[in-house]
């Protein structure tokens, strides 16, 4: 598969088509947590393969909530959409990014073969509206998200920071809502490898010491948004359990697992 050149990406950017918007919803979320994304949120090649396969035989894709550009297939013509300047600044192709929100995509109906949204819809102001916009501008939609009802499958949430469950259930979109918004679609479990390079919330399920790093936590929105004293107390307990060997004993079964279902789902829909 050939690589898409920078010039090809520029030809498909709204700046070159006369559309360049600066619509904002909640870019301050990523403005506050996004500084370490290029260091700690490195796309995992196994997840990238799942996403690329789900996109199928297409040429153009709109990446909604594009952030730093993770999981944008290099063989496709990608139009990134992102409202956070801090995230955009970490991209080598910042000039090609559309400053817009999911809820108001500045594109024509059916303009793209596909639209993708990777670990982003829980930050949208109106997820249903955003999903409807993805369907309006594309014929296929690929969304990587998580089921908030399964959030406590992760031991960090269940046994150390149950506050995460309340937080995620208050902001994340239930799978039933996503399915209802998209209509006919598939939702496939995404197994998270033990050495996942993309440091999202559940990525370190077999590497508990990673959660002790404040920079790692800063790149995880739930940990960065909870009260600092709440997180500090839980992380202190976790550190003690790691040092004493309690964690390794309690979760010994995880240490022999290569991958785990922690509630992440790859949703694929095709507009009829």
């Amino acid at each position: 598969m050939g690589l898409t050149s920078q010039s090809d990406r520029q030809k498909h950017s709204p700046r070159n088509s006369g559309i360049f918007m600066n619509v904002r919803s909640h870019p301050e979320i990523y403005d506050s947590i996004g500084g370490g994304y290029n260091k700690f949120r490195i796309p995992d090649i196994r997840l990238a393969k799942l996403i690329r396969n789900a996109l199928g035989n297409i040429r153009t894709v709109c990446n909604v909530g594009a952030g730093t550009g993770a999981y944008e297939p290099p063989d496709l013509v990608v139009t990134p959409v992102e409202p956070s300047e801090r995230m955009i600044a970490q991209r080598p192709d910042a000039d090609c990014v559309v400053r817009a929100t999911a809820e108001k995509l500045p594109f024509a109906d059916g303009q793209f073969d596909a639209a993708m949204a990777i670990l982003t819809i829980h930050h949208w102001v109106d997820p249903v509206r955003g999903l409807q916009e993805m369907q309006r501008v594309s014929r296929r939609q690929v969304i990587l998200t998580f089921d908030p009802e399964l959030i406590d499958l992760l031991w960090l949430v269940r046994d150390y920071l149950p506050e995460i469950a309340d937080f995620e259930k208050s902001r994340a979109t239930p799978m039933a809502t996503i399915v209802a918004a998209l209509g006919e679609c598939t939702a496939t479990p995404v197994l998270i490898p033990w050495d996942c390079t993309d440091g999202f919330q559940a990525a370190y399920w077999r590497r508990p010491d990673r959660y002790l790093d404040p920079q790692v936590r800063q790149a995880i929105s739930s940990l960065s948004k909870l009260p600092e004293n709440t997180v500090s107390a839980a992380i202190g307990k976790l550190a003690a359990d790691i040092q004493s060997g309690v964690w390794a004993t309690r979760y010994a079964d995880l240490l022999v697992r290569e991958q785990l279902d922690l509630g992440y789902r790859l949703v694929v829909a095709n507009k009829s």
Side-chain angles (χ1 to χ4, degrees):
M1 295 183 290
L3 295 178
T4 300
S5 69
Q6 179 75 3
S7 60
D8 283 339
R9 293 171 69 93
Q10 289 174 341
K11 283 188 291 186
H12 287 79
S13 76
R15 173 172 291 181
N16 289 281
S17 63
I19 304 172
F20 192 81
M21 299 185 66
N22 195 2
V23 183
R24 295 181 177 274
S25 57
H26 278 189
E28 69 272 12
I29 294 173
Y30 281 112
D31 286 344
S32 65
I33 72 172
Y37 261 54
N38 278 343
K39 182 177 180 181
F40 298 107
R41 300 298 298 270
I42 301 169
D44 188 275
I45 58 174
R46 293 151 294 193
L47 301 186
K49 184 177 180 180
L50 290 175
I51 293 165
R52 181 62 188 89
N53 288 344
L55 287 168
N57 184 23
I58 65 168
R59 179 172 179 268
T60 61
V61 59
C62 176
N63 186 15
V64 184
T68 59
Y71 301 108
E72 292 178 358
D75 63 314
L76 300 179
V77 178
V78 181
T79 298
V81 175
E82 172 60 44
S84 169
E85 292 295 339
R86 189 171 193 184
M87 300 295 282
I88 294 170
Q90 298 178 69
R91 301 178 59 114
D93 60 348
D95 288 344
C96 297
V97 179
V98 184
R99 275 71 167 176
T101 63
E103 296 86 354
K104 194 173 182 180
L105 297 175
F107 308 115
D109 294 358
Q111 183 167 334
F112 303 98
D113 296 327
M116 57 189 281
I118 308 303
L119 296 176
T120 179
I121 66 172
H122 54 290
H123 290 301
W124 297 356
V125 174
D126 186 345
V128 170
R129 177 61 179 164
L131 293 170
Q132 291 171 342
E133 278 287 272
M134 289 179 67
Q135 286 199 312
R136 180 183 66 80
V137 303
S138 69
R139 291 179 289 281
R140 170 170 289 193
Q141 299 79 45
V142 174
I143 298 113
L144 177 59
T145 186
F146 61 90
D147 186 342
E149 295 303 317
L150 301 177
I151 198 70
D152 59 1
L153 287 176
L154 178 63
W155 54 263
L156 179 69
V157 178
R158 185 178 62 249
D159 300 330
Y160 290 89
L161 269 169
E163 293 84 359
I164 291 178
D166 295 333
F167 177 74
E168 296 293 17
K169 289 174 184 179
S170 72
R171 68 166 179 164
T173 308
M175 289 301 302
T177 301
I178 296 173
V179 171
L182 293 174
E184 186 174 349
C185 61
T186 60
T188 306
V190 176
L191 303 182
I192 308 304
W194 76 270
D195 56 350
C196 182
T197 61
D198 190 349
F200 50 80
Q201 183 167 265
Y204 306 114
W205 60 268
R206 214 180 90 175
R207 295 169 288 168
D209 57 297
R210 300 297 290 138
Y211 293 113
L212 306 185
D213 187 334
Q215 294 186 68
V216 166
R217 298 197 301 272
Q218 183 63 26
I220 299 172
S221 63
S222 59
L223 292 178
S224 67
K225 289 302 179 182
L226 286 177
E228 184 177 350
N229 60 336
T230 300
V231 175
S232 294
I235 294 302
K237 183 176 185 298
L238 174 59
D241 287 350
I242 293 173
Q243 184 174 12
S244 68
V246 167
W247 189 93
T249 300
R250 181 184 297 157
Y251 306 107
D253 60 311
L254 296 183
L255 299 178
V256 297
R257 301 286 297 272
E258 296 293 320
Q259 53 188 3
L260 204 61
D261 181 0
L262 292 163
Y264 290 79
R265 298 292 181 262
L266 187 64
V267 182
V268 180
N270 291 292
K271 184 179 179 180
S272 60

